[in-house]
Amino acid sequence: MKAMLLGFAAAIVIAAGASVALTAIDHSSASRFSSSSVRL
């Protein structure tokens, strides 16, 4: 039971860290893959 709770806690910490990191980078797929001939 203790290992499962530690796994859940680790998953929550990793997900929160990834969310903060991806928000800080602020690269959406629209801005990364658009060109002058593409209208979004």
Side-chain angles (χ1 to χ4, degrees), residues 2-4 10 12-14 17-18 21 25-26 28 35-39:
K2 185 178 179 180
M4 186 173 72
I12 291 169
V13 169
I14 291 170
I25 292 172
D26 197 31
S28 69
S35 65
S36 61
S37 62
V38 174
R39 185 178 64 158

Side-chain angles (χ1 to χ4, degrees), residues 6-39:
L6 283 174
F8 288 155
I12 291 169
V13 169
I14 291 170
S19 175
V20 169
L22 291 174
T23 302
I25 292 172
D26 197 31
H27 287 290
S28 69
S29 61
S31 65
R32 294 289 291 165
F33 296 110
S34 64
S35 65
S36 61
S37 62
V38 174
R39 185 178 64 158

